[in-house]
Amino acid sequence: MYKTTIENLDESEALTVLLIDNPHFDSGVHFGISDDTFLRGEVPMTKAEVRAITMSKLAPKPGDVCYDLGCGTGSLTAELALAAYEGQVFAIDKKEEAIALTKENCRNFYIGNVKTVCGCVPEALLDLTPADVVFVGGSSGQIEEIFNAVFLKNPQARIVVNAISLETLTAAIGAFTCHGIEPEVVQIGVSKARVAGGYHVMIGQNPVYVISGGGHE
Amino acid sequence: MYKTTIENLDESEALTVLLIDNPHFDSGVHFGISDDTFLRGEVPMTKAEVRAITMSKLAPKPGDVCYDLGCGTGSLTAELALAAYEGQVFAIDKKEEAIALTKENCRNFYIGNVKTVCGCVPEALLDLTPADVVFVGGSSGQIEEIFNAVFLKNPQARIVVNAISLETLTAAIGAFTCHGIEPEVVQIGVSKARVAGGYHVMIGQNPVYVISGGGHE
Amino acid sequence: MYKTTIENLDESEALTVLLIDNPHFDSGVHFGISDDTFLRGEVPMTKAEVRAITMSKLAPKPGDVCYDLGCGTGSLTAELALAAYEGQVFAIDKKEEAIALTKENCRNFYIGNVKTVCGCVPEALLDLTPADVVFVGGSSGQIEEIFNAVFLKNPQARIVVNAISLETLTAAIGAFTCHGIEPEVVQIGVSKARVAGGYHVMIGQNPVYVISGGGHE
Amino acid sequence: MYKTTIENLDESEALTVLLIDNPHFDSGVHFGISDDTFLRGEVPMTKAEVRAITMSKLAPKPGDVCYDLGCGTGSLTAELALAAYEGQVFAIDKKEEAIALTKENCRNFYIGNVKTVCGCVPEALLDLTPADVVFVGGSSGQIEEIFNAVFLKNPQARIVVNAISLETLTAAIGAFTCHGIEPEVVQIGVSKARVAGGYHVMIGQNPVYVISGGGHE
């Protein structure tokens, strides 16, 4: 067997079989990517703990088509793409900066199954493959329209909304109810110790509501 | 009856009885002084909600002698002084700035029963009248020494500790246990809506542990 | 001076002046009445910590007229009555059992300024003196009607709603907004240690939303 | 090709190759197994949300050796086994009932890489393969001993402790510190809506501390 690297390949050699070995290969799925692994810029990011709970509510399968609406830094995009490693993730955001960050964060994880879309919801969803799993991190006040667009393409889609405002919380519950689904509503309050002078001072994060429903149940 | 103001009092007049009327008079006790009523400077302040719970655990009576250890802005000093309106509050802090703020905040509420002490605990407690009610907002790592000093003067004192660190929490439970008291331990997590663009976004505060025990039970 | 008790008063004696001395007298205001001081029955009771925060948001003054709507056990009725000791508290509930408990709990605190009303809101409010301070512990889905009735009598009333459901939370914010008031919205999460085998296990209580606004601000 | 089922296999037939097809096969990893998928009995179970965060802190890799100490119902055992699908999970509990439940729950997920051990920690760890990832759900007050046993076998092990008591929290921080590791300390407070009469009432769960550290960082 002849072993070399791409750089040293000599075109004149009689190559019959090319075996490409990815030294960075890892099984598709990761639990617990830490927050500081992601580039962030000025874009808001779902924190690790809320991301973990959100992933558990999304419950993506390897072959699923996923949407990440309001992808921000792309931290959830990356987790979805690694979990749905035989599927496809569409990461959508209206801000160019978010799309750029999402691309860069996915590149850092050697992720190849993400397609980014810079645009507004629900319009940006029109041409996409129907989703199995939809994460709504940012809705721009279009929760109802998003739900209509998603369920029109696939009435069995599973949707998870992260809400930090009471209005989005109410809208998400209302949108599920409109489609005949009683969602699960969970509030997550996380505080994390900051160590200073040998003291562990608990620092509170803002509470997040996770509203989820739909899918094959 | 002759009615005038201090400024217009003429010494030559034949005054036999002086009735002093305080136009600012208010019944001694206040519930719910809002945070922005207090001058704050750079000094940390116990927030209104935690202050309310702390006052309910302290349960001061009108004639009580109270200590406010680590008085900071003096927000709890003021509430204690208004509740113990026939008693006395000693407000102690090692920082000059805190003492100055406490004095100013008390003055703004026309409070006359507060004595400030700039110094370290437990030394600063040595010469004080025994306390009925003690609030420990700041302990400088001297929880055990504070408890010893307080209970030496009055074994029936009631002590309430606010802890933001796990170490102070543990120390406070330990100090109560040392004195044969099983304290009540409560954790308070408050989040408050910030309104922006018609949305109520819940903002988390840092959790506070309130450890309380002692007193006539 | 002749000193006796009511029981020993002999009608034949020449009584000219009767001085009644209340040995149970206490200054009107109490901070921190503990939960187990109240008789409870099967009726739900606002817990001590939430009661303390609620009182601080109500901020009753000695002469205030107060409503306690959905008074339940009367725990807040009692605290209001002690704080508004020169005022009047109307305790309203649709359940006979709640009214009976409220009466009994008030009697145990020697409270004389409470009037109970068994009936539904907002109808039960029609004949009452206008309120300065209104606590809505139970609304039976009539938040909007309650606000209208209260503000019609006194546009400067201060209202505090305790909500455990998202629907009541939304309705309360909406009702304040309707009357041109941006309410303060606070969520309180309390956990309390249960001691077992030397371990302090933190037990979570259900979160409560406290929505408050109005009054002379 | 000859296709049949195990039941219909006729021994007399000339079988040369046997292809076994598992119709229940699924990629090894699952996010978000819901609580009611597990048999529970009287044994305490880590709830879905805390399980999700715990898994994200454990961050198991496909080939990892994992310990689940105090496995209870085996809910975390199952999640670990599915994530470490090329590795091995040792599920340890001192109660027979817990071991039986863990076995049954693993069987329901067609899990083949779990070995249960009924016994006390740290003794039960003596003969086990060194762990890459250790979850301490129950410690029986032996946190320090567990840490010593785990780190003796593999100084690069990653340990995650779930604590519901302040004493276990303190012990876990202390044990990490003893081994020169500054752990991450997170408190999780979850409340979940219960729907009744069209109202979503938020029900609080007990807070859980998640203390994690170690591993290749």
Side-chain angles (χ1 to χ4, degrees), chain B residues 166-167 169-170 173 185 187 207 209, chain D residues 166-167 169-170 173 185 187 207 209:
Chain B
L166 300 176
E167 285 72 19
L169 165 62
T170 302
I173 296 175
V185 180
Q187 187 188 20
Y209 294 91
Chain D
L166 300 177
E167 284 73 17
L169 166 62
T170 302
I173 295 175
V185 180
Q187 187 188 22
Y209 293 92

PDB file of all heavy atoms in Angstrom, chain B residues 166-167 169-170 173 185 187 207 209, chain D residues 166-167 169-170 173 185 187 207 209:
ATOM      1  N   LEU B 166     -21.522  29.995  48.770  1.00  0.00           N
ATOM      2  CA  LEU B 166     -21.765  28.692  49.391  1.00  0.00           C
ATOM      3  C   LEU B 166     -21.000  28.575  50.698  1.00  0.00           C
ATOM      4  O   LEU B 166     -21.452  27.928  51.637  1.00  0.00           O
ATOM      5  CB  LEU B 166     -21.352  27.580  48.425  1.00  0.00           C
ATOM      6  CG  LEU B 166     -22.102  27.581  47.087  1.00  0.00           C
ATOM      7  CD1 LEU B 166     -21.551  26.499  46.156  1.00  0.00           C
ATOM      8  CD2 LEU B 166     -23.597  27.373  47.314  1.00  0.00           C
ATOM      9  N   GLU B 167     -19.840  29.234  50.782  1.00  0.00           N
ATOM     10  CA  GLU B 167     -19.023  29.147  51.987  1.00  0.00           C
ATOM     11  C   GLU B 167     -19.710  29.850  53.161  1.00  0.00           C
ATOM     12  O   GLU B 167     -19.719  29.345  54.287  1.00  0.00           O
ATOM     13  CB  GLU B 167     -17.639  29.767  51.731  1.00  0.00           C
ATOM     14  CG  GLU B 167     -16.717  28.891  50.898  1.00  0.00           C
ATOM     15  CD  GLU B 167     -17.125  28.801  49.419  1.00  0.00           C
ATOM     16  OE1 GLU B 167     -17.894  29.674  48.952  1.00  0.00           O
ATOM     17  OE2 GLU B 167     -16.686  27.863  48.734  1.00  0.00           O
ATOM     18  N   LEU B 169     -22.922  30.377  53.423  1.00  0.00           N
ATOM     19  CA  LEU B 169     -24.082  29.528  53.715  1.00  0.00           C
ATOM     20  C   LEU B 169     -23.695  28.411  54.680  1.00  0.00           C
ATOM     21  O   LEU B 169     -24.335  28.199  55.723  1.00  0.00           O
ATOM     22  CB  LEU B 169     -24.607  28.949  52.393  1.00  0.00           C
ATOM     23  CG  LEU B 169     -25.580  27.775  52.457  1.00  0.00           C
ATOM     24  CD1 LEU B 169     -26.862  28.158  53.166  1.00  0.00           C
ATOM     25  CD2 LEU B 169     -25.894  27.258  51.042  1.00  0.00           C
ATOM     26  N   THR B 170     -22.630  27.692  54.332  1.00  0.00           N
ATOM     27  CA  THR B 170     -22.172  26.575  55.168  1.00  0.00           C
ATOM     28  C   THR B 170     -21.743  27.066  56.551  1.00  0.00           C
ATOM     29  O   THR B 170     -22.085  26.450  57.572  1.00  0.00           O
ATOM     30  CB  THR B 170     -20.985  25.858  54.477  1.00  0.00           C
ATOM     31  OG1 THR B 170     -21.407  25.412  53.193  1.00  0.00           O
ATOM     32  CG2 THR B 170     -20.516  24.666  55.289  1.00  0.00           C
ATOM     33  N   ILE B 173     -24.869  27.940  58.708  1.00  0.00           N
ATOM     34  CA  ILE B 173     -25.538  26.737  59.224  1.00  0.00           C
ATOM     35  C   ILE B 173     -24.707  26.147  60.361  1.00  0.00           C
ATOM     36  O   ILE B 173     -25.233  25.792  61.425  1.00  0.00           O
ATOM     37  CB  ILE B 173     -25.746  25.694  58.101  1.00  0.00           C
ATOM     38  CG1 ILE B 173     -26.697  26.235  57.031  1.00  0.00           C
ATOM     39  CG2 ILE B 173     -26.277  24.381  58.680  1.00  0.00           C
ATOM     40  CD1 ILE B 173     -26.875  25.315  55.831  1.00  0.00           C
ATOM     41  N   VAL B 185     -33.355  27.485  56.533  1.00  0.00           N
ATOM     42  CA  VAL B 185     -32.534  27.855  55.375  1.00  0.00           C
ATOM     43  C   VAL B 185     -33.441  27.999  54.164  1.00  0.00           C
ATOM     44  O   VAL B 185     -34.136  27.054  53.788  1.00  0.00           O
ATOM     45  CB  VAL B 185     -31.457  26.797  55.086  1.00  0.00           C
ATOM     46  CG1 VAL B 185     -30.621  27.212  53.874  1.00  0.00           C
ATOM     47  CG2 VAL B 185     -30.575  26.567  56.293  1.00  0.00           C
ATOM     48  N   GLN B 187     -33.701  29.613  50.118  1.00  0.00           N
ATOM     49  CA  GLN B 187     -33.033  30.244  48.986  1.00  0.00           C
ATOM     50  C   GLN B 187     -34.063  31.033  48.201  1.00  0.00           C
ATOM     51  O   GLN B 187     -35.157  30.532  47.915  1.00  0.00           O
ATOM     52  CB  GLN B 187     -32.388  29.196  48.073  1.00  0.00           C
ATOM     53  CG  GLN B 187     -31.548  29.861  46.976  1.00  0.00           C
ATOM     54  CD  GLN B 187     -31.048  28.886  45.920  1.00  0.00           C
ATOM     55  OE1 GLN B 187     -31.585  27.811  45.757  1.00  0.00           O
ATOM     56  NE2 GLN B 187     -30.017  29.282  45.196  1.00  0.00           N
ATOM     57  N   PRO B 207     -29.162  34.442  43.162  1.00  0.00           N
ATOM     58  CA  PRO B 207     -29.894  33.845  44.283  1.00  0.00           C
ATOM     59  C   PRO B 207     -29.256  34.221  45.619  1.00  0.00           C
ATOM     60  O   PRO B 207     -28.047  34.413  45.708  1.00  0.00           O
ATOM     61  CB  PRO B 207     -29.767  32.344  44.034  1.00  0.00           C
ATOM     62  CG  PRO B 207     -28.573  32.173  43.159  1.00  0.00           C
ATOM     63  CD  PRO B 207     -28.477  33.430  42.342  1.00  0.00           C
ATOM     64  N   TYR B 209     -29.247  33.188  49.826  1.00  0.00           N
ATOM     65  CA  TYR B 209     -29.656  32.279  50.888  1.00  0.00           C
ATOM     66  C   TYR B 209     -29.940  33.096  52.137  1.00  0.00           C
ATOM     67  O   TYR B 209     -29.140  33.958  52.517  1.00  0.00           O
ATOM     68  CB  TYR B 209     -28.554  31.267  51.198  1.00  0.00           C
ATOM     69  CG  TYR B 209     -28.271  30.300  50.075  1.00  0.00           C
ATOM     70  CD1 TYR B 209     -27.305  30.579  49.122  1.00  0.00           C
ATOM     71  CD2 TYR B 209     -28.979  29.108  49.973  1.00  0.00           C
ATOM     72  CE1 TYR B 209     -27.048  29.690  48.083  1.00  0.00           C
ATOM     73  CE2 TYR B 209     -28.733  28.218  48.942  1.00  0.00           C
ATOM     74  CZ  TYR B 209     -27.767  28.514  47.993  1.00  0.00           C
ATOM     75  OH  TYR B 209     -27.522  27.642  46.970  1.00  0.00           O
TER      76      TYR B 209
ATOM     77  N   LEU D 166     -27.155  20.340  50.685  1.00  0.00           N
ATOM     78  CA  LEU D 166     -26.040  21.283  50.810  1.00  0.00           C
ATOM     79  C   LEU D 166     -24.777  20.558  51.244  1.00  0.00           C
ATOM     80  O   LEU D 166     -23.667  20.938  50.866  1.00  0.00           O
ATOM     81  CB  LEU D 166     -26.408  22.372  51.825  1.00  0.00           C
ATOM     82  CG  LEU D 166     -27.647  23.194  51.451  1.00  0.00           C
ATOM     83  CD1 LEU D 166     -27.973  24.187  52.561  1.00  0.00           C
ATOM     84  CD2 LEU D 166     -27.427  23.929  50.132  1.00  0.00           C
ATOM     85  N   GLU D 167     -24.922  19.478  52.016  1.00  0.00           N
ATOM     86  CA  GLU D 167     -23.759  18.742  52.520  1.00  0.00           C
ATOM     87  C   GLU D 167     -23.038  18.030  51.373  1.00  0.00           C
ATOM     88  O   GLU D 167     -21.806  18.035  51.300  1.00  0.00           O
ATOM     89  CB  GLU D 167     -24.195  17.740  53.591  1.00  0.00           C
ATOM     90  CG  GLU D 167     -24.514  18.378  54.943  1.00  0.00           C
ATOM     91  CD  GLU D 167     -25.831  19.170  54.941  1.00  0.00           C
ATOM     92  OE1 GLU D 167     -26.655  18.979  54.016  1.00  0.00           O
ATOM     93  OE2 GLU D 167     -26.041  19.976  55.868  1.00  0.00           O
ATOM     94  N   LEU D 169     -23.202  18.896  48.234  1.00  0.00           N
ATOM     95  CA  LEU D 169     -22.629  19.990  47.440  1.00  0.00           C
ATOM     96  C   LEU D 169     -21.265  20.383  47.974  1.00  0.00           C
ATOM     97  O   LEU D 169     -20.263  20.452  47.242  1.00  0.00           O
ATOM     98  CB  LEU D 169     -23.592  21.187  47.484  1.00  0.00           C
ATOM     99  CG  LEU D 169     -23.078  22.543  47.015  1.00  0.00           C
ATOM    100  CD1 LEU D 169     -22.685  22.499  45.548  1.00  0.00           C
ATOM    101  CD2 LEU D 169     -24.141  23.628  47.235  1.00  0.00           C
ATOM    102  N   THR D 170     -21.210  20.638  49.279  1.00  0.00           N
ATOM    103  CA  THR D 170     -19.952  21.048  49.912  1.00  0.00           C
ATOM    104  C   THR D 170     -18.895  19.952  49.801  1.00  0.00           C
ATOM    105  O   THR D 170     -17.725  20.226  49.482  1.00  0.00           O
ATOM    106  CB  THR D 170     -20.202  21.377  51.400  1.00  0.00           C
ATOM    107  OG1 THR D 170     -21.192  22.404  51.464  1.00  0.00           O
ATOM    108  CG2 THR D 170     -18.930  21.857  52.079  1.00  0.00           C
ATOM    109  N   ILE D 173     -17.491  19.787  46.163  1.00  0.00           N
ATOM    110  CA  ILE D 173     -16.538  20.869  45.888  1.00  0.00           C
ATOM    111  C   ILE D 173     -15.217  20.568  46.598  1.00  0.00           C
ATOM    112  O   ILE D 173     -14.132  20.682  46.019  1.00  0.00           O
ATOM    113  CB  ILE D 173     -17.105  22.235  46.352  1.00  0.00           C
ATOM    114  CG1 ILE D 173     -18.344  22.596  45.523  1.00  0.00           C
ATOM    115  CG2 ILE D 173     -16.041  23.329  46.224  1.00  0.00           C
ATOM    116  CD1 ILE D 173     -19.042  23.864  45.979  1.00  0.00           C
ATOM    117  N   VAL D 185     -19.682  24.660  39.197  1.00  0.00           N
ATOM    118  CA  VAL D 185     -20.843  24.425  40.065  1.00  0.00           C
ATOM    119  C   VAL D 185     -22.046  25.154  39.477  1.00  0.00           C
ATOM    120  O   VAL D 185     -22.010  26.366  39.299  1.00  0.00           O
ATOM    121  CB  VAL D 185     -20.590  24.932  41.499  1.00  0.00           C
ATOM    122  CG1 VAL D 185     -21.816  24.677  42.377  1.00  0.00           C
ATOM    123  CG2 VAL D 185     -19.361  24.278  42.091  1.00  0.00           C
ATOM    124  N   GLN D 187     -26.395  25.452  39.581  1.00  0.00           N
ATOM    125  CA  GLN D 187     -27.661  25.048  40.205  1.00  0.00           C
ATOM    126  C   GLN D 187     -28.764  25.140  39.160  1.00  0.00           C
ATOM    127  O   GLN D 187     -28.860  26.134  38.434  1.00  0.00           O
ATOM    128  CB  GLN D 187     -28.000  25.959  41.387  1.00  0.00           C
ATOM    129  CG  GLN D 187     -29.226  25.451  42.150  1.00  0.00           C
ATOM    130  CD  GLN D 187     -29.721  26.415  43.201  1.00  0.00           C
ATOM    131  OE1 GLN D 187     -29.458  27.602  43.131  1.00  0.00           O
ATOM    132  NE2 GLN D 187     -30.465  25.919  44.170  1.00  0.00           N
ATOM    133  N   PRO D 207     -34.509  22.075  43.470  1.00  0.00           N
ATOM    134  CA  PRO D 207     -33.283  22.465  42.773  1.00  0.00           C
ATOM    135  C   PRO D 207     -32.220  21.374  42.906  1.00  0.00           C
ATOM    136  O   PRO D 207     -32.156  20.674  43.913  1.00  0.00           O
ATOM    137  CB  PRO D 207     -32.859  23.737  43.493  1.00  0.00           C
ATOM    138  CG  PRO D 207     -33.510  23.684  44.827  1.00  0.00           C
ATOM    139  CD  PRO D 207     -34.773  22.908  44.643  1.00  0.00           C
ATOM    140  N   TYR D 209     -27.970  20.666  42.346  1.00  0.00           N
ATOM    141  CA  TYR D 209     -26.644  21.203  42.058  1.00  0.00           C
ATOM    142  C   TYR D 209     -25.890  20.195  41.210  1.00  0.00           C
ATOM    143  O   TYR D 209     -25.889  18.998  41.521  1.00  0.00           O
ATOM    144  CB  TYR D 209     -25.865  21.447  43.352  1.00  0.00           C
ATOM    145  CG  TYR D 209     -26.437  22.538  44.215  1.00  0.00           C
ATOM    146  CD1 TYR D 209     -27.364  22.244  45.205  1.00  0.00           C
ATOM    147  CD2 TYR D 209     -26.056  23.862  44.033  1.00  0.00           C
ATOM    148  CE1 TYR D 209     -27.911  23.241  45.994  1.00  0.00           C
ATOM    149  CE2 TYR D 209     -26.595  24.861  44.818  1.00  0.00           C
ATOM    150  CZ  TYR D 209     -27.518  24.549  45.797  1.00  0.00           C
ATOM    151  OH  TYR D 209     -28.060  25.540  46.572  1.00  0.00           O
TER     152      TYR D 209
END
